[in-house]
């Protein structure tokens, strides 16, 4: 008989209480200033009221560290009220409370989740002609967090008997209204400590990525697919076409990683010393390593909820890899769960299925080569320079940029003489 793990590991450390409030105020000012400056470059607008709530909440943590989870939850509630209409915020909070009451019975939990996060919001939207739109991104986050918790609870890695503050912390992290990331219980229910160097480093990274993205936009205004008509793109020489493909890919990496960094920066300010969500993904030297470094929290969620339950690398490895990539396409990236519509156009499903199918095939091909050569897939994971790494890195990034044509060039039809498939063929000299 196994004993459920204790939540004691998540209690605040006593040493944190000695942190001066003035130090926390400086860190809050640096972090929020970085988000305020960098956010608009990433398409992220943080209202003054929301920034004020974040600052007040982080200072309250320095004063009452023993109430870290309760304060974090209250800060998120305040942000929801400020960022959303009162009715939307109330619905969001009510759904979290209902799920807490259903957590001991799996069928009740998933029934409440399906009705509360999918059926009711979509039905309200349809019945009201689009006037009763709830917080789609927040509802999608609730779905993923619940699936994550249910999987961890079923495997015995987290207790079912979570306290209200612990449960609330899963769903109501203070950075969720800024950028929602699906975290598991072991990410959230951990000892808190504010690492000043980590907060300042995160602020600097946010500013650097925003600066890089802004510089690319100004230096290469024609680097965006949207700046070209399908016919003009199709007429570009192969070398210039590759330039447009590479610029769009680089801009996407800076945009996605910058947004995620902003969310992680707030998490660090509130005492979660979480690692960066993108770990030098542009330096990955094979497809497997690329996905180990790209969106590590999304990857962790997919491994926990799809890959390992299917058998992981123990049985049917290649099938499991492809299933995981396609699950990412159909569940996380098609937009259906986060959309208020009952029906999402085929483009969302189709394009992401093709894109993630290509990426999954590349990962499977890499694993197959390693299997034949006897290479351990867990070895050679450290960043280092070598003559062999340079062409491998260039080839890996070129393939990824090439595959991204499917989902980035949305203004171009998929097929036809000027379609995305034709652009991909022209990149290959065909």
């Amino acid at each position: 008989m196994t004993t459920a793990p204790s939540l004691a590991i998540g209690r605040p450390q006593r040493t944190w209480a000695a942190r001066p409030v003035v130090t926390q105020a400086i860190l809050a000012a640096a972090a929020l200033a970085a988000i305020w400056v960098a956010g608009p470059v990433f398409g992220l607008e943080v209202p003054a009221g929301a920034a004020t709530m974040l600052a007040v909440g982080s200072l309250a943590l320095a004063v009452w560290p023993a109430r870290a989870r309760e304060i974090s939850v209250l800060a998120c509630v305040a942000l929801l009220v400020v960022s959303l209409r009162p009715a939307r915020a109330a619905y969001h909070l009510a759904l979290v409370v209902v799920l807490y009451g259903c957590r001991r019975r799996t069928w009740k939990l998933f029934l409440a989740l399906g009705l509360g996060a999918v059926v009711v919001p979509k039905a309200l939207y349809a019945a009201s002609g689009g006037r009763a739109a709830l917080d789609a991104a927040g509802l999608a986050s609730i779905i993923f967090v619940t699936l994550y918790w249910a999987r961890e609870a079923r495997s015995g890695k987290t207790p079912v008997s979570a306290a209200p503050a612990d449960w609330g912390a899963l769903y109501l992290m203070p950075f969720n209204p800024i950028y929602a990331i699906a975290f598991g219980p072991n990410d959230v229910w951990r000892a808190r400590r504010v690492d000043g160097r980590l907060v300042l480093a995160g602020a600097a990274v946010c500013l650097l990525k925003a600066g890089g993205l802004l510089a690319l936009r100004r230096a290469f205004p024609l680097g965006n697919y949207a700046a070209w008509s399908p016919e003009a793109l199709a007429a570009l020489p192969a070398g210039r076409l590759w330039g447009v493909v590479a610029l769009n890919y680089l801009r996407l990496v800076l945009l996605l990683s910058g947004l995620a960094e902003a969310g992680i920066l707030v998490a660090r300010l509130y005492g979660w010393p979480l690692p960066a969500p993108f770990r030098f993904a542009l330096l990955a030297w094979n497809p497997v390593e690329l996905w180990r470094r790209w969106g590590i929290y999304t990857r962790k969620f997919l491994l926990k909820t799809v890959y390992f339950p299917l058998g992981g690398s123990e049985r049917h490895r290649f099938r499991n890899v492809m299933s995981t990539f396609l699950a990412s396409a159909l569940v996380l990236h098609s937009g259906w769960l986060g959309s208020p519509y009952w029906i999402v156009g085929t483009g969302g499903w189709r394009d992401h299925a093709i894109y993630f199918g290509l990426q999954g095939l590349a990962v499977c091909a890499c694993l197959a080569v390693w299997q034949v050569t006897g290479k351990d897939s867990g070895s050679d994971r450290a960043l280092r320079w070598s003559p062999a790494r340079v062409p491998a890195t260039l080839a890996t990034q070129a393939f990824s940029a090439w595959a991204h044509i499917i989902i980035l060039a949305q203004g171009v039809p998929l097929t036809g003489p000027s379609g995305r498939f034709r652009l991909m063929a022209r990149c290959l000299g065909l």
Side-chain angles (χ1 to χ4, degrees):
M1 177 175 169
T2 59
T3 302
S6 170
L7 288 181
I9 58 170
R11 299 305 177 194
Q13 297 177 351
R14 291 174 180 262
T15 56
W16 191 35
R19 179 172 296 278
V21 175
V22 64
T23 302
Q24 185 69 7
I26 293 171
L27 293 176
L32 295 175
I35 293 174
W36 186 275
V37 172
V41 181
F42 303 132
L44 173 66
E45 297 290 343
V46 181
T52 301
M53 293 296 179
L54 284 173
V56 170
S58 70
L59 292 177
L61 285 173
V63 178
W64 298 290
R67 296 295 181 183
R69 287 187 185 150
E70 291 85 347
I71 291 173
S72 296
V73 170
L74 289 174
C76 184
V77 171
L79 282 172
L80 288 174
V81 173
V82 170
S83 304
L84 303 175
R85 294 177 183 174
R88 296 181 184 181
Y91 187 90
H92 187 106
L93 298 174
L95 182 55
V96 172
V97 173
V98 169
L99 293 175
Y100 179 71
C102 298
R103 72 193 185 285
R104 294 183 182 274
R105 294 288 185 271
T106 303
W107 70 270
K108 287 185 178 181
L109 181 70
F110 287 125
L111 178 62
L113 181 67
L115 289 174
V118 179
V119 176
V120 171
K122 292 180 185 294
L124 282 175
Y125 185 85
S128 66
R131 293 187 302 274
L134 296 172
D135 177 28
L139 292 173
S141 176
I142 286 177
I143 292 172
F144 302 139
V145 170
T146 304
L147 294 176
Y148 208 146
W149 177 85
R151 174 59 190 170
E152 294 290 84
R154 185 174 182 180
S155 63
K157 295 180 179 179
T158 192
V160 176
S161 56
D166 296 320
W167 185 264
L170 274 177
Y171 294 89
L172 301 170
M173 300 184 82
F175 55 84
N176 277 355
I178 293 178
Y179 187 79
I181 302 174
F183 286 104
N186 291 331
D187 294 315
V188 178
W189 298 340
R190 60 191 300 177
R192 302 273 197 92
R193 64 179 181 84
V194 177
D195 186 327
R197 291 183 180 180
L198 203 58
V199 171
L200 295 176
V205 169
C206 272
L207 292 172
L208 284 173
K209 290 187 176 182
L213 185 56
L214 194 59
L216 279 177
R217 289 172 179 170
R218 291 181 175 178
F220 303 100
L222 295 180
N224 195 335
Y225 287 124
W228 301 83
S229 67
E231 295 74 21
L233 273 175
L236 287 177
R240 195 171 180 191
L241 178 59
W242 265 113
V244 174
V245 170
L247 283 170
N248 275 273
Y249 178 62
L250 181 56
R251 291 170 67 166
L252 176 72
V253 175
L254 290 173
L255 176 63
L256 293 182
S257 61
L259 276 171
E261 286 283 358
I264 294 298
L265 177 55
V266 176
R268 292 172 177 174
L269 182 63
Y270 273 73
W272 283 286
L274 298 170
F278 282 69
R279 299 179 298 184
F280 301 99
L282 289 174
L283 298 181
W285 52 97
N286 60 65
V288 174
E289 196 62 33
L290 174 66
W291 289 102
R292 284 175 178 157
R293 296 175 175 276
W294 183 298
I296 64 171
Y297 298 106
T298 301
R299 174 180 179 270
K300 186 178 178 181
F301 168 78
L302 289 167
L303 290 177
K304 294 275 189 177
T305 58
V306 181
Y307 184 69
F308 292 135
L310 288 175
S313 60
E314 300 299 324
R315 61 181 187 276
H316 306 298
R317 185 180 195 180
F318 298 119
R319 181 205 66 184
N320 298 341
V321 168
M322 290 303 300
S323 298
T324 303
F325 273 94
L326 291 176
S328 179
L330 300 180
V331 177
L332 290 179
H333 292 89
S334 67
W336 190 80
L337 289 179
S339 169
Y341 298 99
W342 275 112
I343 299 173
V344 173
T346 56
W349 298 81
R350 178 199 64 198
D351 295 355
H352 281 86
I354 294 171
Y355 164 74
F356 280 103
L358 288 172
Q359 294 283 13
L361 288 172
V363 169
C364 288
C366 186
L367 292 173
V369 170
W370 290 351
Q371 184 174 299
V372 171
T373 59
K375 179 179 177 179
D376 180 7
S377 60
S379 64
D380 193 27
R381 297 176 60 177
L383 281 174
R384 59 180 177 79
W385 183 90
S386 70
R389 280 273 178 95
V390 175
T393 300
L394 291 175
T396 299
Q397 301 302 328
F399 172 81
S400 187
W402 175 78
H404 272 87
I405 293 175
I406 291 292
I407 55 175
L408 291 183
Q410 288 296 311
V412 179
L414 186 64
T415 58
S418 302
R420 279 169 273 169
F421 283 150
R422 182 57 189 155
L423 290 179
M424 297 172 78
R426 291 196 65 248
C427 285
L428 301 178
L430 301 176

